[in-house]
Coordinates of all heavy atoms in Angstrom, one line a residue:
N57 N -18.1 61.5 10.9 CA -17.4 61.0 12.1 C -16.3 62.0 12.6 O -16.1 62.2 13.7 CB -16.6 59.7 11.7 CG -17.5 58.5 11.4 OD1 -18.6 58.5 12.0 ND2 -17.0 57.5 10.7
F58 N -15.8 62.8 11.7 CA -14.9 63.8 12.0 C -15.7 64.9 12.8 O -15.2 65.4 13.9 CB -14.3 64.5 10.7 CG -13.1 65.3 11.0 CD1 -12.6 65.5 12.3 CD2 -12.5 66.1 9.9 CE1 -11.4 66.2 12.5 CE2 -11.4 66.9 10.2 CZ -10.8 67.0 11.4
Y59 N -16.8 65.3 12.3 CA -17.7 66.3 13.0 C -18.0 65.8 14.4 O -18.1 66.5 15.4 CB -18.9 66.6 12.3 CG -18.7 67.7 11.2 CD1 -18.8 67.4 9.8 CD2 -18.5 69.0 11.5 CE1 -18.6 68.4 8.9 CE2 -18.3 70.0 10.6 CZ -18.4 69.7 9.2 OH -18.2 70.6 8.2
N60 N -18.3 64.5 14.5 CA -18.7 63.8 15.8 C -17.5 63.9 16.8 O -17.7 64.1 18.0 CB -19.1 62.4 15.6 CG -20.5 62.3 14.9 OD1 -21.3 63.2 15.1 ND2 -20.7 61.2 14.3
K61 N -16.3 63.7 16.3 CA -15.1 63.8 17.2 C -15.0 65.2 17.8 O -14.7 65.4 19.0 CB -13.9 63.4 16.3 CG -12.6 63.4 17.2 CD -12.6 62.3 18.2 CE -12.8 60.9 17.7 NZ -12.7 59.8 18.7
I62 N -15.2 66.2 16.9 CA -15.2 67.5 17.3 C -16.2 67.8 18.4 O -16.0 68.5 19.5 CB -15.3 68.6 16.2 CG1 -14.1 68.4 15.2 CG2 -15.3 70.0 16.7 CD1 -12.8 68.7 15.7
R63 N -17.4 67.3 18.1 CA -18.6 67.5 19.0 C -18.3 66.9 20.4 O -18.7 67.5 21.4 CB -19.8 66.9 18.4 CG -21.1 67.3 19.1 CD -22.4 66.7 18.3 NE -22.4 67.4 17.0 CZ -22.3 66.7 15.9 NH1 -22.0 65.3 15.9 NH2 -22.3 67.2 14.7
E64 N -17.7 65.7 20.3 CA -17.4 65.1 21.7 C -16.4 65.9 22.5 O -16.5 66.0 23.7 CB -16.7 63.7 21.4 CG -17.7 62.7 20.8 CD -17.0 61.4 20.4 OE1 -15.8 61.2 20.6 OE2 -17.7 60.5 19.8
C65 N -15.4 66.5 21.7 CA -14.4 67.4 22.5 C -15.2 68.6 23.1 O -14.9 68.9 24.3 CB -13.4 67.9 21.5 SG -12.4 69.2 22.0
N66 N -16.1 69.2 22.4 CA -16.8 70.3 22.9 C -17.7 70.0 24.1 O -17.7 70.8 25.0 CB -17.5 71.0 21.7 CG -16.7 71.6 20.7 OD1 -15.5 71.8 20.9 ND2 -17.3 71.8 19.5
L67 N -18.3 68.8 24.0 CA -19.2 68.4 25.1 C -18.4 68.1 26.4 O -18.8 68.4 27.5 CB -20.0 67.2 24.6 CG -21.1 67.4 23.6 CD1 -21.7 66.0 23.2 CD2 -22.2 68.3 24.2
L68 N -17.2 67.5 26.2 CA -16.4 67.2 27.4 C -15.9 68.5 28.0 O -15.9 68.6 29.2 CB -15.2 66.4 26.9 CG -14.2 66.0 28.0 CD1 -14.9 65.1 29.1 CD2 -13.0 65.2 27.5
L69 N -15.5 69.5 27.2 CA -15.2 70.8 27.7 C -16.3 71.4 28.6 O -16.1 72.0 29.6 CB -14.7 71.8 26.6 CG -13.3 71.5 26.1 CD1 -13.1 72.2 24.7 CD2 -12.3 72.1 27.1
K70 N -17.5 71.4 28.0 CA -18.7 72.0 28.6 C -18.9 71.3 29.9 O -19.2 71.9 30.9 CB -19.9 71.9 27.6 CG -21.1 72.6 28.2 CD -22.2 72.6 27.2 CE -23.5 73.3 27.7 NZ -24.6 73.2 26.7
K71 N -18.9 70.0 29.9 CA -19.1 69.2 31.1 C -18.1 69.5 32.2 O -18.5 69.4 33.4 CB -19.1 67.7 30.7 CG -19.4 66.8 31.9 CD -19.3 65.3 31.4 CE -19.7 64.3 32.6 NZ -19.6 62.9 32.2
Q72 N -16.9 69.8 31.9 CA -15.9 70.0 32.9 C -15.4 71.4 33.0 O -14.3 71.7 33.5 CB -14.6 69.1 32.5 CG -14.9 67.6 32.4 CD -13.7 66.8 32.2 OE1 -13.8 65.6 32.2 NE2 -12.5 67.4 32.0
D73 N -16.3 72.3 32.7 CA -16.1 73.8 32.9 C -14.9 74.2 32.2 O -14.1 75.0 32.7 CB -16.0 74.1 34.4 CG -17.3 73.9 35.2 OD1 -18.3 74.1 34.6 OD2 -17.2 73.5 36.4
N74 N -14.7 73.7 30.9 CA -13.7 74.1 30.0 C -12.3 73.7 30.6 O -11.3 74.3 30.2 CB -13.7 75.5 29.7 CG -15.0 76.0 29.1 OD1 -15.5 75.2 28.2 ND2 -15.6 77.0 29.5
R75 N -12.2 72.7 31.4 CA -10.9 72.2 32.0 C -10.7 70.8 31.6 O -11.5 69.9 31.6 CB -11.0 72.3 33.5 CG -11.1 73.8 34.0 CD -11.2 73.8 35.5 NE -11.3 75.1 36.0 CZ -11.5 75.4 37.3 NH1 -11.6 74.4 38.2 NH2 -11.6 76.7 37.7
L76 N -9.4 70.5 31.1 CA -9.0 69.2 30.6 C -7.7 68.8 31.2 O -6.8 69.8 31.4 CB -8.9 69.1 29.1 CG -10.2 69.4 28.3 CD1 -9.9 69.4 26.8 CD2 -11.3 68.3 28.6
N77 N -7.5 67.6 31.6 CA -6.1 67.2 32.1 C -5.3 66.8 30.9 O -5.8 66.7 29.7 CB -6.2 66.1 33.1 CG -6.8 64.8 32.5 OD1 -6.6 64.4 31.4 ND2 -7.7 64.2 33.3
K78 N -4.0 66.5 31.1 CA -3.1 66.3 30.0 C -3.5 65.0 29.1 O -3.5 65.1 27.9 CB -1.7 66.1 30.5 CG -0.7 65.9 29.4 CD 0.8 65.8 30.0 CE 1.8 65.6 28.9 NZ 3.2 65.4 29.5
E79 N -3.9 64.0 29.9 CA -4.2 62.7 29.2 C -5.5 62.9 28.3 O -5.5 62.4 27.2 CB -4.5 61.7 30.2 CG -3.3 61.1 30.9 CD -2.7 62.0 31.9 OE1 -3.4 62.9 32.4 OE2 -1.5 61.9 32.2
Q80 N -6.5 63.7 28.8 CA -7.6 64.0 28.0 C -7.3 64.8 26.7 O -7.8 64.5 25.6 CB -8.7 64.8 28.8 CG -9.3 63.9 29.8 CD -10.2 64.7 30.8 OE1 -9.9 65.9 31.1 NE2 -11.3 64.2 31.3
V81 N -6.4 65.8 26.8 CA -6.0 66.6 25.7 C -5.3 65.7 24.7 O -5.5 65.8 23.5 CB -5.0 67.7 26.1 CG1 -4.5 68.5 25.0 CG2 -5.9 68.7 27.1

């Protein structure tokens, strides 16, 4: 589950061209 949480973070970054808003972070 820990690895999956990291994977979700990486996929979101890739989807949004490595850009995140404050709430997402």
Side-chain angles (χ1 to χ4, degrees):
N57 291 338
F58 194 7
Y59 277 110
N60 286 335
K61 185 64 66 174
I62 301 297
R63 192 175 297 112
E64 290 172 5
C65 168
N66 294 343
L67 288 174
L68 182 61
L69 279 163
K70 185 177 181 180
K71 181 180 179 181
Q72 299 184 177
D73 294 326
N74 301 317
R75 296 176 181 177
L76 299 174
N77 59 44
K78 183 179 179 181
E79 285 74 22
Q80 289 173 325
V81 174

